[in-house]
């Protein structure tokens, strides 16, 4: 029989408190508690409520990592309170922990936030199978295991919002749809049964669409279901180019520009890439470019040192291309 | 410990917009007696933008770069976070899918190469920590940077996705509380600045498509370091460097506050501590003046 030792440690919790009906500004309440190694973050929230302050508010329901309601931030890290072990938290951050809602600016009462923006954006991507249904089918509509696999686990999303409120672009731009909405868009675009004609081009539109993602991978680290939303964003880009639906704009030209440059030089020609992406928009870069030039930071196209064995690279670009523009 | 030797994947930036990074890499390698064999055959890693256009092509091209490191039987060392991400990600995907590896090797076969998966891929920062050792580096410091408050700026692609970082390097980093660059600053005798943006995004990858968003992120990062009382910022990523060093005008405008701090490449910081003459570290190539050397 194996025995598990339960360790106890003292931990200081700084807990975000705010009541939108009464408080002008949020404040932090300090609770010092003995924490055992088998507790999860939700146990701590419960103990604060039961032992210290019955008005302390937070969301939880399933306690099994399924309902997605209990996501909060601990020392800036998004986490499902019911899944996250206190031992891990202490190991990463030490014995001073700050507990906050997913989004401070959206706080209503303590850790409870108004998640309306999350749901509005979710709705914008037509997050359901959009197809003509034959009401009197004569055969089963079979999805093969291989076809189901192309969803790449995007269907496991529990809408917890962890990725959404971890995303720095969501934080500063009200228009950006955010990683969860894009993962949902991918989930239905990748579904063989879906027939929606405009979803792919809608999410790929310039300005607040997938192209505004800064590729920080915060959403990949945030997701408790390991859905890796940024990877799905990449796939939405790929689908656009594979379907031949890509319009020419600064974002698509920027992506395609890499292939053009690699074909020509093996390496990137940074100046030409910006020029090709921006076209006439290049003028706004001129002041910085002049400064950079004077500091030896811009190499003209004729000064680019091409890769050795460039012919190999060119051959591969020819034989391995899968996209159109 | 025998002499350390790596296959150097310089990436494109070190050869173009951050010449100072190339210079300081070579200067530091020489001081530390690390041999770097430059992979002159390598192509661009795609910077996660070719990946958006044509994922399979990006895998084939990155696998070719790795195959050249394998030919030398050397670990590949990168000096750019984004090169590290895209190269290590290629390795991760090929090593975990026999089918994908076979499809990629079919293409590489056309040019007489094969991806085997025998070379490790590491960023120079982690090579110094994992292989060279910070204790040894510390012993070699001749000019401790003790009068400086230095703000570490980690750069997303070295620390996220965590899973990839953890599987690629001996020193596992927690992306929410990274320590490698802080440890390096301390080994160089400096004082580290703790600030919220140190593990956040500089905005580089959306600079053209979403200039406003991108500039706000840059501004917030520099402002965070300034509010932490930093004398300067240090980063292992040349793309973060470009953003923080050259875009202060747009960044200041975007956040409505004048922000600017000297930004050093990690190699320049090490070089200063090891007593490399500043001119070998390329300080004159910075846009935001490095006024303390
Ligand atoms: S990778 Fe893109 S979508 Fe994901 S958190 Fe970063 S900016 Fe947001
Ligand atoms: S993708 Fe992951 S983090 Fe984002 S809402 Fe779904 S389950 Fe939560
Ligand atoms: S309580 Fe349901 S996911 Fe945590």
């Amino acid at each position: 029989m194996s025995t598990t030792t339960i360790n106890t440690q003292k931990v200081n919790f700084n807990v975000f408190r705010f009541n939108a009906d009464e408080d002008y500004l949020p404040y932090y309440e300090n609770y010092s508690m003995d924490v055992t190694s088998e507790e999860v973050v939700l146990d701590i929230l419960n103990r604060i409520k039961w032992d210290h302050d019955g008005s302390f508010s937070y969301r939880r329901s399933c306690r099994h990592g399924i309902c997605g309601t209990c996501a909060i931030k601990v020392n800036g890290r998004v986490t499902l309170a019911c899944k996250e072990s206190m031992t891990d938290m202490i190991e990463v951050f030490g014995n001073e922990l700050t507990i906050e809602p997913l989004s401070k600016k959206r706080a209503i009462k303590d850790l409870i936030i108004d998640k309306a923006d999350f749901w509005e954006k979710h709705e914008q991507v037509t997050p359901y199978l959009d197809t003509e249904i034959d009401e009197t089918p004569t055969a089963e509509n079979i999805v093969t295991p291989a076809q189901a696999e192309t969803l790449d686990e995007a269907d496991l999303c529990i809408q917890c919002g962890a990725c959404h409120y971890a995303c720095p672009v969501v934080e500063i731009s009200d228009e950006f749809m955010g990683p969860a909405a894009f993962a949902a868009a991918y989930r239905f675009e990748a579904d063989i049964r879906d027939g929606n004609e405009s979803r792919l081009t809608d999410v790929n539109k310039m300005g607040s669409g997938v192209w505004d993602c800064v590729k920080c991978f915060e959403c990949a680290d945030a997701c408790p279901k390991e859905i890796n939303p940024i990877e799905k964003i990449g796939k939405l880009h790929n689908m656009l180019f594979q379907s031949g639906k890509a319009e020419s704009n600064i974002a698509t030209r920027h992506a395609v520009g890499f292939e053009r440059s690699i074909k020509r030089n093996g390496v990137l020609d940074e100046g030409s890439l910006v020029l090709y992406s921006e076209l006439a928009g290049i003028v706004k870069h001129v002041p910085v470019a002049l400064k950079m030039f004077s500091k030896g930071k811009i190499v003209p196209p004729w000064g680019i040192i091409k890769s050795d064995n460039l012919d190999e690279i060119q051959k591969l670009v020819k034989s391995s291309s899968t996209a159109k523009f | 410990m025998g002499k350390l030797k790596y296959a150097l994947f310089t990436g494109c930036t070190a050869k173009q917009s951050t010449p100072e990074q190339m210079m300081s890499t070579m200067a530091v390698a020489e001081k530390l007696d690390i041999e770097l064999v430059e992979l002159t055959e390598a192509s661009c890693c795609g910077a996660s933008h070719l990946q958006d256009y044509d994922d399979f092509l990006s895998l084939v091209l990155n696998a070719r770069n790795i195959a050249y490191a394998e030919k030398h039987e050397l670990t590949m060392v990168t000096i750019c976070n984004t090169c590290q991400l895209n190269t290590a990600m290629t390795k991760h995907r090929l090593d975990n899918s026999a089918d994908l590896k076979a499809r990629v090797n079919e293409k590489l076969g056309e040019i007489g190469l094969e991806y085997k998966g025998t070379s490790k891929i590491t960023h120079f920062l982690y090579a110094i920590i994992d292989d060279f050792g910070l204790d040894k580096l510390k012993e070699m410091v001749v000019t401790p940077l003790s009068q400086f408050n230095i703000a570490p700026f980690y750069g997303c692609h070295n620390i996220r996705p965590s899973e990839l970082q953890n599987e690629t390097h001996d020193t596992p980093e927690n992306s929410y509380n990274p320590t490698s660059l802080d440890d390096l600053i301390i080994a160089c005798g400096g004082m580290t600045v703790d600030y919220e943006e140190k593990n956040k995004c500089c905005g580089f990858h959306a600079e053209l498509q979403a200039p406003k968003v991108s500039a706000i992120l840059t501004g917030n990062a520099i402002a965070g370091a300034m509010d932490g009382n930093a004398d300067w910022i240090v980063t292992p990523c040349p793309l973060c460097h470009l953003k923080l060093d050259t875009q202060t005008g747009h960044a200041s405008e975007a956040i409505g506050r004048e922000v600017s701090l000297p930004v050093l490449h990690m190699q320049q910081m090490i070089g200063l501590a090891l007593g490399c003459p500043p001119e070998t570290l390329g300080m004159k190539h910075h846009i935001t003046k490095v006024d303390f050397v």
Side-chain angles (χ1 to χ4, degrees), chain A residues 68 71 78 80 115 118 154 156-165 179-181 183-184 219 222-229:
Chain A
V78 283
L80 274 190
K115 225 170 137 184
F118 176 87
L156 299 184
C157 176
I158 57 171
Q159 324 285 8
C160 68
C163 60
H164 186 80
Y165 297 108
C219 54
C223 178
K225 296 285 159 186
E226 291 175 26
I227 283 166
N228 201 350

Side-chain angles (χ1 to χ4, degrees), chain A residues 42 60-70 80 82 158:
Chain A
L42 182 59
R60 82 274 177 274
S61 177
C62 72
R63 214 212 163 281
H64 272 288
I66 284 300
C67 72
T69 57
C70 68
L80 274 190
C82 71
I158 57 171

